[in-house]
Amino acid sequence: MSNLRKKVAKHQQNRRLAALNMLGTPVASDNEDSEDSDHSSVIGDAIIPNLSQSVIEEELRLCVDDIGEKRASSREVALSRLVRLLSHFYCGSFFDSHPNSKTALLELLLRSVRKPSNTHECMLALKAVALVMVNEGQLEQEDEDLYSLVAPTLKNIIQDNTSPIQVKCQSIDTLAMITFSSASASSVQGGLDYFYKILVSKGSVTTTVVATSDDVLTSDQDEEQDEQELSAHDVQLLLVSTLHAYGLLYASVYGHDRGLKEEAWDEWQSAMPAHLDLLESASKDVRVAAGKNVALMYECSHTFKKLDTFTDEDEDNQNTGLVVDEELSEYEELDDLIDILKRLSTESSRRVNKQDRKTQKSAFRDILKSIEQGEKPKEKLKLGRQRLVFRGWGTV
């Protein structure tokens, strides 16, 4: 047994060394104690300073070096630094100048992702995976290979009924992000189908254990599996993450007149039954997320036609109306949908707390305006001295 442990430890060390070498990181000698290593980092808990490209690259190397540490606390600190670094600085040029560096870093991060017993480390690693994929350089041809490297691990976590709910939700968020940023068109469509299956099953497919013909579950194992079923609250969290994921991919395929209207229409028609069910969820967050997806899909599958009137509130905003393409039939249950949205936009039941009622009313008023009047929502974002304005559900 001791020999086997030594072989496993040696194999893990070799993988770490390979990753570090690909990233150009100086590797300490075997005689140095990794627990006594002292890496000076410019990334702390304070506000991120302005850093030069050389400092960013050195900080990235230090983070990667510490991710290979034996102590979990050291790995968590390194992952936190890496997440902050990738969140604030573009590192695509570094990955371009170091061939295979992104693959090596992702493989290192997947080691932490596969440690669900350490929830904090796993969550940080999942966030880092998404940020690494978003920080893509010019080597776009390798993106699909990287997606294929990461996606199966994320799906395994989502399907594993022993995974903590927060890890499942973060895996869904990360899977949606890497599909959006790096997957091929066919893989994006596959992602839509995958998330749709979770929605239509109301999360039950994420706790399904696929058994082979040779698997025989004892009564104790059956009881253990039943005890691991998700609670109603956990299912709601899972559905909110999945709704956001589905909406992101739908917008990436059909938003801003991308794709064909007929395909957007067909996808909307097939997804509406599941979303209508979720509009009646006991969770305010599920209802709002489902409603925003409905507005998004309606916007993308219809054509905006400018009218001749303008609003006084926003001189840049022209009144628009939504019309259906002549070759496409109107949604048969539109009147019922509008009735549901009106009810949710005027919710007054005391079974829903005051703050939730306020949030829900505000969200569904915007949703109802989009479907009834074709009014696009608008959100503003300030970045330093710049102000960005986002219009339409496909962008907000």
Side-chain angles (χ1 to χ4, degrees), residues 11-27 60-61 64-65 67-68 94-95 98-109 111:
H11 176 66
Q12 292 177 343
Q13 178 68 6
N14 288 338
R15 290 183 62 184
R16 177 195 173 196
L17 295 178
L20 296 176
N21 286 333
M22 286 184 180
L23 291 164
T25 306
V27 180
L60 182 59
R61 293 188 181 98
V64 172
D65 196 5
I67 290 173
F94 172 83
F95 294 127
H98 295 79
N100 300 320
S101 59
K102 187 182 288 189
T103 301
L105 179 53
L106 287 173
E107 289 177 343
L108 199 59
L109 291 172
R111 286 178 53 191

PDB file of all heavy atoms in Angstrom, residues 11-27 60-61 64-65 67-68 94-95 98-109 111:
ATOM      1  N   HIS A  11       3.216  10.665  -9.312  1.00  0.00           N
ATOM      2  CA  HIS A  11       2.474  11.010 -10.526  1.00  0.00           C
ATOM      3  C   HIS A  11       1.891  12.422 -10.409  1.00  0.00           C
ATOM      4  O   HIS A  11       1.964  13.216 -11.363  1.00  0.00           O
ATOM      5  CB  HIS A  11       1.350   9.997 -10.742  1.00  0.00           C
ATOM      6  CG  HIS A  11       0.457  10.321 -11.912  1.00  0.00           C
ATOM      7  ND1 HIS A  11       0.896  10.298 -13.223  1.00  0.00           N
ATOM      8  CD2 HIS A  11      -0.852  10.699 -11.960  1.00  0.00           C
ATOM      9  CE1 HIS A  11      -0.090  10.629 -14.025  1.00  0.00           C
ATOM     10  NE2 HIS A  11      -1.160  10.894 -13.281  1.00  0.00           N
ATOM     11  N   GLN A  12       1.304  12.756  -9.254  1.00  0.00           N
ATOM     12  CA  GLN A  12       0.744  14.084  -9.054  1.00  0.00           C
ATOM     13  C   GLN A  12       1.825  15.158  -9.117  1.00  0.00           C
ATOM     14  O   GLN A  12       1.616  16.238  -9.670  1.00  0.00           O
ATOM     15  CB  GLN A  12       0.009  14.146  -7.715  1.00  0.00           C
ATOM     16  CG  GLN A  12      -1.255  13.293  -7.681  1.00  0.00           C
ATOM     17  CD  GLN A  12      -1.927  13.323  -6.327  1.00  0.00           C
ATOM     18  OE1 GLN A  12      -1.314  13.703  -5.327  1.00  0.00           O
ATOM     19  NE2 GLN A  12      -3.185  12.923  -6.285  1.00  0.00           N
ATOM     20  N   GLN A  13       2.992  14.859  -8.534  1.00  0.00           N
ATOM     21  CA  GLN A  13       4.091  15.812  -8.568  1.00  0.00           C
ATOM     22  C   GLN A  13       4.573  16.053  -9.995  1.00  0.00           C
ATOM     23  O   GLN A  13       4.867  17.178 -10.390  1.00  0.00           O
ATOM     24  CB  GLN A  13       5.246  15.307  -7.697  1.00  0.00           C
ATOM     25  CG  GLN A  13       6.481  16.197  -7.699  1.00  0.00           C
ATOM     26  CD  GLN A  13       6.247  17.531  -7.017  1.00  0.00           C
ATOM     27  OE1 GLN A  13       5.189  17.753  -6.450  1.00  0.00           O
ATOM     28  NE2 GLN A  13       7.234  18.411  -7.084  1.00  0.00           N
ATOM     29  N   ASN A  14       4.629  14.981 -10.790  1.00  0.00           N
ATOM     30  CA  ASN A  14       5.061  15.115 -12.186  1.00  0.00           C
ATOM     31  C   ASN A  14       4.086  15.989 -12.977  1.00  0.00           C
ATOM     32  O   ASN A  14       4.493  16.791 -13.822  1.00  0.00           O
ATOM     33  CB  ASN A  14       5.177  13.742 -12.837  1.00  0.00           C
ATOM     34  CG  ASN A  14       6.384  12.959 -12.307  1.00  0.00           C
ATOM     35  OD1 ASN A  14       7.337  13.538 -11.786  1.00  0.00           O
ATOM     36  ND2 ASN A  14       6.342  11.643 -12.434  1.00  0.00           N
ATOM     37  N   ARG A  15       2.788  15.828 -12.710  1.00  0.00           N
ATOM     38  CA  ARG A  15       1.782  16.636 -13.409  1.00  0.00           C
ATOM     39  C   ARG A  15       1.924  18.104 -13.028  1.00  0.00           C
ATOM     40  O   ARG A  15       1.801  18.998 -13.859  1.00  0.00           O
ATOM     41  CB  ARG A  15       0.370  16.144 -13.069  1.00  0.00           C
ATOM     42  CG  ARG A  15       0.020  14.793 -13.654  1.00  0.00           C
ATOM     43  CD  ARG A  15      -1.401  14.402 -13.344  1.00  0.00           C
ATOM     44  NE  ARG A  15      -2.329  15.364 -13.941  1.00  0.00           N
ATOM     45  CZ  ARG A  15      -3.646  15.294 -13.762  1.00  0.00           C
ATOM     46  NH1 ARG A  15      -4.160  14.341 -13.015  1.00  0.00           N
ATOM     47  NH2 ARG A  15      -4.446  16.181 -14.315  1.00  0.00           N
ATOM     48  N   ARG A  16       2.193  18.338 -11.754  1.00  0.00           N
ATOM     49  CA  ARG A  16       2.379  19.718 -11.309  1.00  0.00           C
ATOM     50  C   ARG A  16       3.605  20.340 -11.966  1.00  0.00           C
ATOM     51  O   ARG A  16       3.575  21.470 -12.451  1.00  0.00           O
ATOM     52  CB  ARG A  16       2.510  19.758  -9.792  1.00  0.00           C
ATOM     53  CG  ARG A  16       2.773  21.165  -9.247  1.00  0.00           C
ATOM     54  CD  ARG A  16       3.252  21.103  -7.814  1.00  0.00           C
ATOM     55  NE  ARG A  16       3.661  22.422  -7.347  1.00  0.00           N
ATOM     56  CZ  ARG A  16       4.391  22.630  -6.275  1.00  0.00           C
ATOM     57  NH1 ARG A  16       4.821  21.612  -5.554  1.00  0.00           N
ATOM     58  NH2 ARG A  16       4.721  23.858  -5.900  1.00  0.00           N
ATOM     59  N   LEU A  17       4.709  19.590 -11.992  1.00  0.00           N
ATOM     60  CA  LEU A  17       5.934  20.096 -12.599  1.00  0.00           C
ATOM     61  C   LEU A  17       5.728  20.392 -14.075  1.00  0.00           C
ATOM     62  O   LEU A  17       6.234  21.388 -14.598  1.00  0.00           O
ATOM     63  CB  LEU A  17       7.072  19.095 -12.409  1.00  0.00           C
ATOM     64  CG  LEU A  17       7.526  18.840 -10.959  1.00  0.00           C
ATOM     65  CD1 LEU A  17       8.625  17.797 -10.936  1.00  0.00           C
ATOM     66  CD2 LEU A  17       7.988  20.128 -10.304  1.00  0.00           C
ATOM     67  N   ALA A  18       4.974  19.518 -14.752  1.00  0.00           N
ATOM     68  CA  ALA A  18       4.716  19.730 -16.175  1.00  0.00           C
ATOM     69  C   ALA A  18       3.922  21.014 -16.390  1.00  0.00           C
ATOM     70  O   ALA A  18       4.208  21.799 -17.303  1.00  0.00           O
ATOM     71  CB  ALA A  18       3.960  18.534 -16.757  1.00  0.00           C
ATOM     72  N   ALA A  19       2.920  21.233 -15.542  1.00  0.00           N
ATOM     73  CA  ALA A  19       2.120  22.451 -15.663  1.00  0.00           C
ATOM     74  C   ALA A  19       2.960  23.685 -15.411  1.00  0.00           C
ATOM     75  O   ALA A  19       2.883  24.682 -16.137  1.00  0.00           O
ATOM     76  CB  ALA A  19       0.937  22.401 -14.679  1.00  0.00           C
ATOM     77  N   LEU A  20       3.791  23.625 -14.381  1.00  0.00           N
ATOM     78  CA  LEU A  20       4.616  24.778 -14.050  1.00  0.00           C
ATOM     79  C   LEU A  20       5.629  25.068 -15.141  1.00  0.00           C
ATOM     80  O   LEU A  20       5.905  26.226 -15.479  1.00  0.00           O
ATOM     81  CB  LEU A  20       5.334  24.537 -12.716  1.00  0.00           C
ATOM     82  CG  LEU A  20       4.421  24.406 -11.482  1.00  0.00           C
ATOM     83  CD1 LEU A  20       5.253  24.074 -10.254  1.00  0.00           C
ATOM     84  CD2 LEU A  20       3.637  25.677 -11.261  1.00  0.00           C
ATOM     85  N   ASN A  21       6.210  24.023 -15.710  1.00  0.00           N
ATOM     86  CA  ASN A  21       7.200  24.216 -16.769  1.00  0.00           C
ATOM     87  C   ASN A  21       6.570  24.848 -18.004  1.00  0.00           C
ATOM     88  O   ASN A  21       7.165  25.702 -18.668  1.00  0.00           O
ATOM     89  CB  ASN A  21       7.850  22.880 -17.133  1.00  0.00           C
ATOM     90  CG  ASN A  21       8.829  22.414 -16.060  1.00  0.00           C
ATOM     91  OD1 ASN A  21       9.398  23.236 -15.347  1.00  0.00           O
ATOM     92  ND2 ASN A  21       9.014  21.112 -15.937  1.00  0.00           N
ATOM     93  N   MET A  22       5.340  24.400 -18.346  1.00  0.00           N
ATOM     94  CA  MET A  22       4.650  24.976 -19.501  1.00  0.00           C
ATOM     95  C   MET A  22       4.340  26.445 -19.286  1.00  0.00           C
ATOM     96  O   MET A  22       4.291  27.240 -20.226  1.00  0.00           O
ATOM     97  CB  MET A  22       3.343  24.213 -19.770  1.00  0.00           C
ATOM     98  CG  MET A  22       3.554  22.842 -20.391  1.00  0.00           C
ATOM     99  SD  MET A  22       1.995  22.046 -20.804  1.00  0.00           S
ATOM    100  CE  MET A  22       2.589  20.492 -21.490  1.00  0.00           C
ATOM    101  N   LEU A  23       4.113  26.831 -18.034  1.00  0.00           N
ATOM    102  CA  LEU A  23       3.817  28.222 -17.726  1.00  0.00           C
ATOM    103  C   LEU A  23       5.078  29.046 -17.509  1.00  0.00           C
ATOM    104  O   LEU A  23       5.011  30.224 -17.200  1.00  0.00           O
ATOM    105  CB  LEU A  23       2.933  28.304 -16.477  1.00  0.00           C
ATOM    106  CG  LEU A  23       1.504  27.791 -16.667  1.00  0.00           C
ATOM    107  CD1 LEU A  23       0.848  27.556 -15.322  1.00  0.00           C
ATOM    108  CD2 LEU A  23       0.695  28.780 -17.482  1.00  0.00           C
ATOM    109  N   GLY A  24       6.239  28.406 -17.615  1.00  0.00           N
ATOM    110  CA  GLY A  24       7.481  29.128 -17.454  1.00  0.00           C
ATOM    111  C   GLY A  24       7.808  29.468 -16.019  1.00  0.00           C
ATOM    112  O   GLY A  24       8.509  30.447 -15.756  1.00  0.00           O
ATOM    113  N   THR A  25       7.289  28.676 -15.070  1.00  0.00           N
ATOM    114  CA  THR A  25       7.499  28.970 -13.658  1.00  0.00           C
ATOM    115  C   THR A  25       8.750  28.282 -13.157  1.00  0.00           C
ATOM    116  O   THR A  25       8.938  27.085 -13.370  1.00  0.00           O
ATOM    117  CB  THR A  25       6.304  28.457 -12.834  1.00  0.00           C
ATOM    118  OG1 THR A  25       5.119  29.011 -13.385  1.00  0.00           O
ATOM    119  CG2 THR A  25       6.431  28.868 -11.382  1.00  0.00           C
ATOM    120  N   PRO A  26       9.629  28.990 -12.452  1.00  0.00           N
ATOM    121  CA  PRO A  26      10.781  28.338 -11.844  1.00  0.00           C
ATOM    122  C   PRO A  26      10.320  27.318 -10.813  1.00  0.00           C
ATOM    123  O   PRO A  26       9.530  27.643  -9.942  1.00  0.00           O
ATOM    124  CB  PRO A  26      11.527  29.496 -11.170  1.00  0.00           C
ATOM    125  CG  PRO A  26      10.982  30.738 -11.784  1.00  0.00           C
ATOM    126  CD  PRO A  26       9.598  30.426 -12.192  1.00  0.00           C
ATOM    127  N   VAL A  27      10.789  26.091 -10.917  1.00  0.00           N
ATOM    128  CA  VAL A  27      10.365  25.026 -10.017  1.00  0.00           C
ATOM    129  C   VAL A  27      11.412  24.818  -8.936  1.00  0.00           C
ATOM    130  O   VAL A  27      12.602  24.719  -9.212  1.00  0.00           O
ATOM    131  CB  VAL A  27      10.151  23.710 -10.806  1.00  0.00           C
ATOM    132  CG1 VAL A  27       9.700  22.603  -9.870  1.00  0.00           C
ATOM    133  CG2 VAL A  27       9.132  23.929 -11.908  1.00  0.00           C
ATOM    134  N   LEU A  60       0.786  35.471 -12.016  1.00  0.00           N
ATOM    135  CA  LEU A  60       0.112  34.272 -12.507  1.00  0.00           C
ATOM    136  C   LEU A  60       0.954  33.033 -12.237  1.00  0.00           C
ATOM    137  O   LEU A  60       0.445  31.992 -11.800  1.00  0.00           O
ATOM    138  CB  LEU A  60      -0.174  34.420 -14.007  1.00  0.00           C
ATOM    139  CG  LEU A  60      -0.922  33.272 -14.693  1.00  0.00           C
ATOM    140  CD1 LEU A  60      -2.272  33.037 -14.035  1.00  0.00           C
ATOM    141  CD2 LEU A  60      -1.109  33.564 -16.177  1.00  0.00           C
ATOM    142  N   ARG A  61       2.246  33.142 -12.456  1.00  0.00           N
ATOM    143  CA  ARG A  61       3.146  32.011 -12.190  1.00  0.00           C
ATOM    144  C   ARG A  61       3.158  31.661 -10.706  1.00  0.00           C
ATOM    145  O   ARG A  61       3.151  30.475 -10.334  1.00  0.00           O
ATOM    146  CB  ARG A  61       4.555  32.340 -12.670  1.00  0.00           C
ATOM    147  CG  ARG A  61       4.694  32.479 -14.179  1.00  0.00           C
ATOM    148  CD  ARG A  61       6.148  32.602 -14.579  1.00  0.00           C
ATOM    149  NE  ARG A  61       6.310  32.766 -16.013  1.00  0.00           N
ATOM    150  CZ  ARG A  61       6.480  33.928 -16.622  1.00  0.00           C
ATOM    151  NH1 ARG A  61       6.504  35.043 -15.913  1.00  0.00           N
ATOM    152  NH2 ARG A  61       6.617  33.989 -17.927  1.00  0.00           N
ATOM    153  N   VAL A  64      -0.036  29.778  -9.777  1.00  0.00           N
ATOM    154  CA  VAL A  64      -0.016  28.399 -10.269  1.00  0.00           C
ATOM    155  C   VAL A  64       0.916  27.543  -9.421  1.00  0.00           C
ATOM    156  O   VAL A  64       0.609  26.399  -9.088  1.00  0.00           O
ATOM    157  CB  VAL A  64       0.402  28.364 -11.750  1.00  0.00           C
ATOM    158  CG1 VAL A  64       0.606  26.932 -12.213  1.00  0.00           C
ATOM    159  CG2 VAL A  64      -0.649  29.055 -12.606  1.00  0.00           C
ATOM    160  N   ASP A  65       2.051  28.097  -9.044  1.00  0.00           N
ATOM    161  CA  ASP A  65       2.997  27.356  -8.216  1.00  0.00           C
ATOM    162  C   ASP A  65       2.361  26.962  -6.891  1.00  0.00           C
ATOM    163  O   ASP A  65       2.478  25.829  -6.427  1.00  0.00           O
ATOM    164  CB  ASP A  65       4.246  28.217  -7.970  1.00  0.00           C
ATOM    165  CG  ASP A  65       5.416  27.381  -7.455  1.00  0.00           C
ATOM    166  OD1 ASP A  65       5.278  26.145  -7.393  1.00  0.00           O
ATOM    167  OD2 ASP A  65       6.458  27.968  -7.133  1.00  0.00           O
ATOM    168  N   ILE A  67      -0.843  26.669  -6.216  1.00  0.00           N
ATOM    169  CA  ILE A  67      -1.990  25.768  -6.374  1.00  0.00           C
ATOM    170  C   ILE A  67      -1.548  24.313  -6.231  1.00  0.00           C
ATOM    171  O   ILE A  67      -2.332  23.436  -5.850  1.00  0.00           O
ATOM    172  CB  ILE A  67      -2.673  25.987  -7.745  1.00  0.00           C
ATOM    173  CG1 ILE A  67      -3.381  27.343  -7.754  1.00  0.00           C
ATOM    174  CG2 ILE A  67      -3.683  24.889  -8.056  1.00  0.00           C
ATOM    175  CD1 ILE A  67      -3.949  27.726  -9.099  1.00  0.00           C
ATOM    176  N   GLY A  68      -0.272  24.039  -6.502  1.00  0.00           N
ATOM    177  CA  GLY A  68       0.249  22.682  -6.365  1.00  0.00           C
ATOM    178  C   GLY A  68       0.697  22.331  -4.960  1.00  0.00           C
ATOM    179  O   GLY A  68       1.229  21.232  -4.746  1.00  0.00           O
ATOM    180  N   PHE A  94      -0.643  36.328 -22.465  1.00  0.00           N
ATOM    181  CA  PHE A  94       0.276  35.406 -21.791  1.00  0.00           C
ATOM    182  C   PHE A  94       0.052  33.982 -22.288  1.00  0.00           C
ATOM    183  O   PHE A  94       1.009  33.259 -22.587  1.00  0.00           O
ATOM    184  CB  PHE A  94       0.071  35.473 -20.277  1.00  0.00           C
ATOM    185  CG  PHE A  94       0.846  34.428 -19.516  1.00  0.00           C
ATOM    186  CD1 PHE A  94       2.183  34.630 -19.199  1.00  0.00           C
ATOM    187  CD2 PHE A  94       0.252  33.231 -19.135  1.00  0.00           C
ATOM    188  CE1 PHE A  94       2.902  33.673 -18.502  1.00  0.00           C
ATOM    189  CE2 PHE A  94       0.957  32.274 -18.439  1.00  0.00           C
ATOM    190  CZ  PHE A  94       2.289  32.490 -18.125  1.00  0.00           C
ATOM    191  N   PHE A  95      -1.201  33.587 -22.399  1.00  0.00           N
ATOM    192  CA  PHE A  95      -1.503  32.241 -22.882  1.00  0.00           C
ATOM    193  C   PHE A  95      -1.053  32.070 -24.323  1.00  0.00           C
ATOM    194  O   PHE A  95      -0.631  30.984 -24.730  1.00  0.00           O
ATOM    195  CB  PHE A  95      -3.007  31.948 -22.748  1.00  0.00           C
ATOM    196  CG  PHE A  95      -3.490  31.875 -21.329  1.00  0.00           C
ATOM    197  CD1 PHE A  95      -4.568  32.637 -20.905  1.00  0.00           C
ATOM    198  CD2 PHE A  95      -2.869  31.048 -20.410  1.00  0.00           C
ATOM    199  CE1 PHE A  95      -5.018  32.568 -19.600  1.00  0.00           C
ATOM    200  CE2 PHE A  95      -3.312  30.976 -19.103  1.00  0.00           C
ATOM    201  CZ  PHE A  95      -4.389  31.738 -18.696  1.00  0.00           C
ATOM    202  N   HIS A  98       2.717  31.408 -24.468  1.00  0.00           N
ATOM    203  CA  HIS A  98       3.141  30.147 -23.846  1.00  0.00           C
ATOM    204  C   HIS A  98       2.237  29.027 -24.348  1.00  0.00           C
ATOM    205  O   HIS A  98       1.183  28.755 -23.756  1.00  0.00           O
ATOM    206  CB  HIS A  98       3.075  30.231 -22.315  1.00  0.00           C
ATOM    207  CG  HIS A  98       4.037  31.219 -21.722  1.00  0.00           C
ATOM    208  ND1 HIS A  98       3.788  32.576 -21.716  1.00  0.00           N
ATOM    209  CD2 HIS A  98       5.245  31.046 -21.127  1.00  0.00           C
ATOM    210  CE1 HIS A  98       4.790  33.200 -21.137  1.00  0.00           C
ATOM    211  NE2 HIS A  98       5.688  32.298 -20.776  1.00  0.00           N
ATOM    212  N   PRO A  99       2.579  28.407 -25.462  1.00  0.00           N
ATOM    213  CA  PRO A  99       1.760  27.341 -26.046  1.00  0.00           C
ATOM    214  C   PRO A  99       1.445  26.246 -25.020  1.00  0.00           C
ATOM    215  O   PRO A  99       2.295  25.873 -24.212  1.00  0.00           O
ATOM    216  CB  PRO A  99       2.631  26.796 -27.192  1.00  0.00           C
ATOM    217  CG  PRO A  99       3.534  27.942 -27.536  1.00  0.00           C
ATOM    218  CD  PRO A  99       3.807  28.653 -26.245  1.00  0.00           C
ATOM    219  N   ASN A 100       0.208  25.790 -25.043  1.00  0.00           N
ATOM    220  CA  ASN A 100      -0.289  24.725 -24.159  1.00  0.00           C
ATOM    221  C   ASN A 100      -0.393  25.160 -22.693  1.00  0.00           C
ATOM    222  O   ASN A 100      -0.702  24.335 -21.830  1.00  0.00           O
ATOM    223  CB  ASN A 100       0.597  23.475 -24.245  1.00  0.00           C
ATOM    224  CG  ASN A 100       0.651  22.885 -25.635  1.00  0.00           C
ATOM    225  OD1 ASN A 100      -0.365  22.837 -26.339  1.00  0.00           O
ATOM    226  ND2 ASN A 100       1.826  22.436 -26.057  1.00  0.00           N
ATOM    227  N   SER A 101      -0.126  26.431 -22.404  1.00  0.00           N
ATOM    228  CA  SER A 101      -0.174  26.869 -21.009  1.00  0.00           C
ATOM    229  C   SER A 101      -1.594  26.825 -20.453  1.00  0.00           C
ATOM    230  O   SER A 101      -1.799  26.478 -19.286  1.00  0.00           O
ATOM    231  CB  SER A 101       0.390  28.287 -20.883  1.00  0.00           C
ATOM    232  OG  SER A 101      -0.347  29.202 -21.687  1.00  0.00           O
ATOM    233  N   LYS A 102      -2.566  27.166 -21.289  1.00  0.00           N
ATOM    234  CA  LYS A 102      -3.939  27.150 -20.809  1.00  0.00           C
ATOM    235  C   LYS A 102      -4.387  25.726 -20.499  1.00  0.00           C
ATOM    236  O   LYS A 102      -5.052  25.479 -19.485  1.00  0.00           O
ATOM    237  CB  LYS A 102      -4.877  27.783 -21.842  1.00  0.00           C
ATOM    238  CG  LYS A 102      -6.308  27.944 -21.337  1.00  0.00           C
ATOM    239  CD  LYS A 102      -7.233  28.537 -22.382  1.00  0.00           C
ATOM    240  CE  LYS A 102      -6.965  29.986 -22.625  1.00  0.00           C
ATOM    241  NZ  LYS A 102      -8.012  30.600 -23.479  1.00  0.00           N
ATOM    242  N   THR A 103      -4.006  24.777 -21.350  1.00  0.00           N
ATOM    243  CA  THR A 103      -4.340  23.376 -21.091  1.00  0.00           C
ATOM    244  C   THR A 103      -3.709  22.902 -19.792  1.00  0.00           C
ATOM    245  O   THR A 103      -4.362  22.240 -18.967  1.00  0.00           O
ATOM    246  CB  THR A 103      -3.845  22.487 -22.248  1.00  0.00           C
ATOM    247  OG1 THR A 103      -4.451  22.916 -23.469  1.00  0.00           O
ATOM    248  CG2 THR A 103      -4.200  21.031 -22.000  1.00  0.00           C
ATOM    249  N   ALA A 104      -2.446  23.261 -19.577  1.00  0.00           N
ATOM    250  CA  ALA A 104      -1.753  22.851 -18.358  1.00  0.00           C
ATOM    251  C   ALA A 104      -2.413  23.444 -17.121  1.00  0.00           C
ATOM    252  O   ALA A 104      -2.586  22.766 -16.098  1.00  0.00           O
ATOM    253  CB  ALA A 104      -0.283  23.278 -18.429  1.00  0.00           C
ATOM    254  N   LEU A 105      -2.806  24.706 -17.196  1.00  0.00           N
ATOM    255  CA  LEU A 105      -3.442  25.353 -16.054  1.00  0.00           C
ATOM    256  C   LEU A 105      -4.810  24.741 -15.773  1.00  0.00           C
ATOM    257  O   LEU A 105      -5.170  24.503 -14.613  1.00  0.00           O
ATOM    258  CB  LEU A 105      -3.577  26.855 -16.326  1.00  0.00           C
ATOM    259  CG  LEU A 105      -4.248  27.682 -15.226  1.00  0.00           C
ATOM    260  CD1 LEU A 105      -3.583  27.454 -13.875  1.00  0.00           C
ATOM    261  CD2 LEU A 105      -4.227  29.165 -15.592  1.00  0.00           C
ATOM    262  N   LEU A 106      -5.575  24.463 -16.826  1.00  0.00           N
ATOM    263  CA  LEU A 106      -6.888  23.851 -16.628  1.00  0.00           C
ATOM    264  C   LEU A 106      -6.774  22.469 -15.998  1.00  0.00           C
ATOM    265  O   LEU A 106      -7.572  22.089 -15.128  1.00  0.00           O
ATOM    266  CB  LEU A 106      -7.625  23.761 -17.968  1.00  0.00           C
ATOM    267  CG  LEU A 106      -8.149  25.082 -18.524  1.00  0.00           C
ATOM    268  CD1 LEU A 106      -8.696  24.885 -19.932  1.00  0.00           C
ATOM    269  CD2 LEU A 106      -9.228  25.670 -17.620  1.00  0.00           C
ATOM    270  N   GLU A 107      -5.789  21.692 -16.438  1.00  0.00           N
ATOM    271  CA  GLU A 107      -5.597  20.368 -15.839  1.00  0.00           C
ATOM    272  C   GLU A 107      -5.256  20.475 -14.359  1.00  0.00           C
ATOM    273  O   GLU A 107      -5.699  19.661 -13.546  1.00  0.00           O
ATOM    274  CB  GLU A 107      -4.497  19.622 -16.598  1.00  0.00           C
ATOM    275  CG  GLU A 107      -4.913  19.178 -17.995  1.00  0.00           C
ATOM    276  CD  GLU A 107      -3.786  18.504 -18.753  1.00  0.00           C
ATOM    277  OE1 GLU A 107      -2.611  18.683 -18.324  1.00  0.00           O
ATOM    278  OE2 GLU A 107      -4.061  17.819 -19.754  1.00  0.00           O
ATOM    279  N   LEU A 108      -4.480  21.491 -13.998  1.00  0.00           N
ATOM    280  CA  LEU A 108      -4.146  21.709 -12.600  1.00  0.00           C
ATOM    281  C   LEU A 108      -5.386  22.108 -11.805  1.00  0.00           C
ATOM    282  O   LEU A 108      -5.598  21.631 -10.678  1.00  0.00           O
ATOM    283  CB  LEU A 108      -3.077  22.799 -12.507  1.00  0.00           C
ATOM    284  CG  LEU A 108      -2.259  22.885 -11.205  1.00  0.00           C
ATOM    285  CD1 LEU A 108      -1.516  21.583 -10.935  1.00  0.00           C
ATOM    286  CD2 LEU A 108      -1.274  24.046 -11.279  1.00  0.00           C
ATOM    287  N   LEU A 109      -6.217  22.956 -12.382  1.00  0.00           N
ATOM    288  CA  LEU A 109      -7.437  23.385 -11.704  1.00  0.00           C
ATOM    289  C   LEU A 109      -8.436  22.245 -11.556  1.00  0.00           C
ATOM    290  O   LEU A 109      -9.151  22.152 -10.549  1.00  0.00           O
ATOM    291  CB  LEU A 109      -8.083  24.539 -12.476  1.00  0.00           C
ATOM    292  CG  LEU A 109      -7.324  25.870 -12.460  1.00  0.00           C
ATOM    293  CD1 LEU A 109      -7.966  26.860 -13.419  1.00  0.00           C
ATOM    294  CD2 LEU A 109      -7.267  26.448 -11.052  1.00  0.00           C
ATOM    295  N   ARG A 111      -7.851  19.277 -10.919  1.00  0.00           N
ATOM    296  CA  ARG A 111      -7.486  18.475  -9.741  1.00  0.00           C
ATOM    297  C   ARG A 111      -8.215  18.991  -8.505  1.00  0.00           C
ATOM    298  O   ARG A 111      -8.699  18.207  -7.680  1.00  0.00           O
ATOM    299  CB  ARG A 111      -5.976  18.522  -9.511  1.00  0.00           C
ATOM    300  CG  ARG A 111      -5.154  17.695 -10.491  1.00  0.00           C
ATOM    301  CD  ARG A 111      -3.668  17.858 -10.213  1.00  0.00           C
ATOM    302  NE  ARG A 111      -3.326  17.590  -8.817  1.00  0.00           N
ATOM    303  CZ  ARG A 111      -2.144  17.866  -8.258  1.00  0.00           C
ATOM    304  NH1 ARG A 111      -1.207  18.440  -8.995  1.00  0.00           N
ATOM    305  NH2 ARG A 111      -1.923  17.577  -7.006  1.00  0.00           N
TER     306      ARG A 111
END
